[in-house]
Amino acid sequence: MKQVVQNYKSGELALLDVPVPGCKPGGVLVRTAYSLISTGTELMKVSEAGMSMVGKARSRPDQVAKVMQSVATNGVPATYRKVMGKLDSYTPLGYSLCGVVEQVGAGIDEVKVGDLVACAGNEHALHAELNWVPKNLWTPVPDGLAPRYAAFGTVGSIALQGVRQGGPQLGEVALVIGLGLIGQLVVQLLAASGVRVVGVDPDPVRCELAERLGAAACGDPASAAVENSVAELTGGHGVDQVYLAAGGGSNQPVELAARLCRDRGRVVDIGKCRLDLPWNAYYEKELDVRFSRSYGPGRYDPEYELQGRDYPIGYVRWTERRNLACFLDLLARGSVDVEPLVSHIADFDDAVETYRRLKDGDLKAVAVLFRYPEHAGEAAAPAVAVPAVNVKRSPARAAEAPVRLAFVGAGTYATSMLLPHLAQRDGVELSTVVTTTALSAANAQRKFGFAGATTDLDAVLGDKSIDAVFVVTRHSSHAELTRKALLAGKTVFVEKPLALTEDELAGVLAAVEESGNDRLQVGFNRRFAPLLREAKQRFGARTGPANLRYLVNAGRLQHGSWYLQQGTEGSRFAGEGGHFIDTASWLLDADPVSVYTVATSGNEDLHVVLRYPDGSTATISYVTTGPAGFPKETLDLIADGKALRLDDFVRATVHDGRRKRWVGSRLPKGRDKGQNAELAAFVKAVRTGGPMPVPLQSLVTTTAATLAVRTGLAGGAPVTLARTR
């Protein structure tokens, strides 16, 4: 299928061929009939992409701060790869469309194939021929409403939520600053609510349009006509509400709002304009400044948007889905008219040229629609069912043949820490990348040279030419995808964690028993870090028990991180704690036999004590409240009068009983946490059929110990680890 994409690094716009997205449970696959260009939001994004790197940094200081924090934590090389990987990727455009349901996912019973729906979301309602849309981001289109009008649903919901934030009442007077697409819709919604509206915009054509659509008066912000109209309509008191629907770097809108608003009036920010509030003006009138966040309650809440968990109507009357349905109803009843806003309808094949004309100013428009080819075309190809393969080992392979790899998942970690190493490795062929979203697969294929890209996992598992499968997806899917790949006879590399529950771990082991295939590696990369391996060798063998202390300064998660979705993705420690347990066990040359855990009150800081067969202990302090500039990982190992210290994979020191010491100097390429060496060992095992880099029993015990942390916290006592295999 085709999709409009942009490369944020180069500014390139393209109509790209990408795989058809899969129809996942909890949503529907929609074939687009019309999609709407947001001439404000999207053109701002297109313009930013055309800036220099300095210009991009100036336009997004929040992202610059994140980059600097990443440099402090991960070093310059890793941060550079991550940032460049994101910049040099195709990103989607679009967030408002109407289309026909092509497939219905499991758990959806209120819509059927062939129904017309309006869809929302900058990850789900894209300028693409097909989109998978979760339950709360689509709503049926009322009978008789034309698809091209229903495509305005998302943008209309943004305007509607802004009006709700203003709390208009019958007979009030409102000022709308900015008469672009959102502003024109706000004018109509206010007029339909019994509010008299004054509009402000430097474009006389837009002012005239707003007056035709219900505004009492409109004018240039610098003209006296606007102030005169406000004075006449309000008896000199000023407007009750101001809606900021303007963009740009001027502070004029917020200053005008203060001048024309009445005492204790309301100012609602809907657009993205400069907000240097003049303190005296806002203080003296005690103005109520409010923000309108996108389509309404539910926006940016993954449980609402992705998992379909609705808010009870008694507590949240207007969610983003109910706003979407309400706006469509207003359109269907004629209370809002979008036909005068449609400046241009372009064929989807002309999408790139349409954006160019808009950016260059050749096309003056309030609203532009893409019209897609007839949507009664061929359905997406059905998935290929693959039966479980009962094998003892992967089939023998020719030593000179390249190792053929498939990736399931192509997120940030895969594209910054794994694929760059594999793409440069001789004797490796990147065969197929599988993702649930079409564009991420296409990006990975373009950047790393995959032979194919798809959203069909079963087709990959059924491909006998593929030697190994990498599972680099969200944590909640690791165990099930690993189980399927093992049953299909593939060698499997799964990023940590292997499992989030004891039942998931048991399911993986059951697949090993059923298939006889134990070719499994979990991405515990730190034991492969060159600096740590050298330090262990320098430390030498020990005769007595050891004490190990591992401090992990994990830091606080940013709001919206999927790590916070503990209901589906497990706790933060369950997701990454295996790294530190595996590192401790490797240094102590044994697997733990018991786990004891305590936690500080009120946060996620954990102290995990592992006991080993020879009496050695390892204490892992996992803290989230440390300072951002402090090293993330520091480790001390003491035994037999010797000490080993690791400082964040940058420096290592070994002291022996004769006061001699070895110091590992700062690595020239920054922190190396072992990913490259780990991948080399894995590829070698696949190529030669030799032992896996880490014994299966060690992987299982580390996973069981990680899960035992939660059990120990609940019970308040040490948890004994019984041998599971």
Side-chain angles (χ1 to χ4, degrees), residues 73-305:
T73 303
N74 302 310
V76 173
T79 301
Y80 179 82
R81 288 195 301 269
K82 181 178 179 180
V83 172
M84 288 299 107
K86 285 188 175 183
L87 287 176
D88 193 21
S89 295
Y90 285 125
T91 58
L93 293 172
Y95 60 84
S96 189
L97 66 81
C98 177
V100 175
V101 175
E102 184 107 340
Q103 293 183 40
V104 178
I108 301 296
D109 55 12
E110 56 192 290
V111 73
K112 64 182 184 299
V113 172
D115 285 353
L116 192 66
V117 293
C119 307
N122 61 355
E123 295 181 354
H124 304 288
L126 309 171
H127 296 310
E129 291 179 313
L130 285 153
N131 286 279
W132 178 82
V133 190
K135 176 181 179 179
N136 283 336
L137 292 179
W138 57 264
T139 192
V141 174
D143 292 340
L145 182 61
R148 68 178 183 276
Y149 299 153
F152 280 79
T154 308
V155 177
S157 297
I158 295 172
L160 183 57
Q161 177 62 15
V163 170
R164 295 195 194 284
Q165 290 295 89
Q169 297 186 35
L170 285 167
E172 290 188 329
V173 179
L175 181 71
V176 178
I177 302 178
L179 297 175
L181 178 54
I182 296 291
Q184 297 287 347
L185 293 172
V186 169
V187 166
Q188 293 194 62
L189 290 168
L190 289 168
S193 302
V195 174
R196 291 173 294 173
V197 184
V198 176
V200 177
D201 198 285
D203 187 339
V205 174
R206 291 184 174 184
C207 288
E208 189 274 333
L209 176 61
E211 289 179 347
R212 283 196 288 121
L213 293 174
C218 294
D220 188 283
S223 71
V226 171
E227 295 195 30
N228 292 338
S229 296
V230 169
E232 181 180 344
L233 290 171
T234 67
H237 295 294
V239 299
D240 300 283
Q241 309 127 46
V242 178
Y243 296 87
L244 302 175
S250 172
N251 206 48
Q252 185 186 49
V254 296
E255 294 171 3
L256 182 64
R259 189 164 69 250
L260 298 184
C261 201
R262 67 165 169 82
D263 187 64
R264 291 176 175 82
R266 300 178 293 280
V267 179
V268 182
D269 180 45
I270 305 176
K272 187 179 181 181
C273 65
R274 188 174 175 183
L275 289 175
D276 289 342
L277 302 182
W279 188 87
N280 284 334
Y282 276 73
Y283 172 80
E284 289 170 0
K285 288 187 175 181
E286 199 175 335
L287 297 180
D288 182 359
V289 180
R290 303 178 181 182
F291 289 84
S292 179
R293 191 170 70 176
S294 203
Y295 330 144
R299 188 71 181 110
Y300 309 114
D301 178 358
E303 291 194 0
Y304 178 89
E305 293 191 327

Side-chain angles (χ1 to χ4, degrees), residues 282-627:
Y282 276 73
Y283 172 80
E284 289 170 0
K285 288 187 175 181
E286 199 175 335
L287 297 180
D288 182 359
V289 180
R290 303 178 181 182
F291 289 84
S292 179
R293 191 170 70 176
S294 203
Y295 330 144
R299 188 71 181 110
Y300 309 114
D301 178 358
E303 291 194 0
Y304 178 89
E305 293 191 327
L306 300 179
Q307 299 175 28
R309 297 182 183 177
D310 199 3
Y311 303 148
I313 196 169
Y315 292 90
V316 183
R317 177 62 183 92
W318 294 108
T319 61
E320 57 181 317
R321 192 186 196 202
R322 291 195 271 269
N323 272 340
L324 182 60
C326 177
F327 184 77
L328 295 182
D329 179 66
L330 291 170
L331 285 175
R333 291 191 286 111
S335 299
V336 175
D337 186 8
V338 295
E339 176 62 32
L341 305 180
V342 180
S343 307
H344 184 67
I345 298 178
D347 288 334
F348 186 53
D349 287 342
D350 297 329
V352 174
E353 176 63 15
T354 302
Y355 274 110
R356 185 200 64 76
R357 292 178 62 197
L358 285 168
K359 180 183 176 183
D360 295 346
D362 298 337
L363 177 60
K364 302 289 186 181
V366 175
V368 175
L369 289 164
F370 286 137
R371 176 177 51 218
Y372 289 70
E374 285 298 321
H375 43 80
E378 282 191 323
V384 179
V386 180
V389 181
N390 197 5
V391 296
K392 285 294 180 184
R393 280 284 190 271
S394 298
R397 56 187 311 286
E400 67 277 4
V403 174
R404 289 173 288 272
L405 306 178
F407 261 67
V408 183
T412 300
Y413 187 81
T415 56
S416 64
M417 304 307 296
L418 300 180
L419 283 168
H421 297 302
L422 290 169
Q424 300 172 8
R425 189 170 296 281
D426 292 336
V428 169
E429 178 183 314
L430 297 178
S431 175
T432 311
V433 57
V434 186
T435 64
T436 57
T437 58
L439 190 53
S440 59
N443 272 323
Q445 182 181 21
R446 177 184 69 90
K447 291 170 65 177
F448 300 107
F450 280 96
T454 183
T455 58
D456 187 353
L457 173 65
D458 288 341
V460 171
L461 297 183
D463 186 346
K464 295 182 179 179
S465 71
I466 292 175
D467 299 306
V469 172
F470 279 70
V471 176
V472 201
T473 54
R474 292 264 179 111
H475 295 169
S476 57
S477 61
H478 283 191
E480 178 61 15
L481 292 172
T482 299
R483 189 187 67 81
K484 287 183 176 181
L486 288 171
L487 290 173
K490 305 301 183 185
T491 301
V492 181
F493 182 108
V494 56
E495 246 316 307
K496 51 78 193 163
L498 174 60
L500 289 175
T501 67
E502 288 80 2
D503 287 343
E504 287 184 354
L505 180 57
V508 172
L509 291 176
V512 171
E513 294 296 330
E514 179 182 343
S515 65
N517 178 16
D518 62 358
R519 306 288 286 170
L520 176 65
Q521 171 65 18
V522 180
F524 298 142
N525 52 276
R526 282 154 175 79
R527 64 161 65 204
F528 296 93
L531 186 61
L532 187 56
R533 295 182 75 88
E534 175 71 6
K536 182 182 180 182
Q537 181 182 356
R538 297 273 184 169
F539 186 86
R542 59 183 175 85
T543 57
N547 289 294
L548 186 147
R549 180 199 66 85
Y550 202 149
L551 175 61
V552 182
N553 181 32
R556 298 186 183 276
L557 291 174
Q558 295 178 355
H559 175 72
S561 170
W562 62 267
Y563 261 105
L564 295 172
Q565 302 173 31
Q566 295 195 14
T568 55
E569 302 299 334
S571 71
R572 191 175 178 188
F573 190 84
E576 67 175 359
H579 267 323
F580 318 119
I581 294 175
D582 176 76
T583 303
S585 298
W586 172 73
L587 282 168
L588 297 174
D589 296 311
D591 293 326
V593 294
S594 73
V595 180
Y596 176 65
T597 309
V598 294
T600 54
S601 176
N603 55 46
E604 294 185 357
D605 291 4
L606 301 173
H607 302 282
V608 180
V609 180
L610 306 168
R611 186 169 59 84
Y612 289 83
D614 67 350
S616 295
T617 60
T619 301
I620 299 172
S621 296
Y622 184 85
V623 298
T624 62
T625 53

Side-chain angles (χ1 to χ4, degrees), residues 539 542-545 637-644 655-660:
F539 186 86
R542 59 183 175 85
T543 57
L637 171 65
I638 298 176
D640 300 341
K642 298 181 292 185
L644 180 157
H655 300 256
D656 64 19
R658 297 186 297 275
R659 297 185 178 273
K660 293 182 179 179

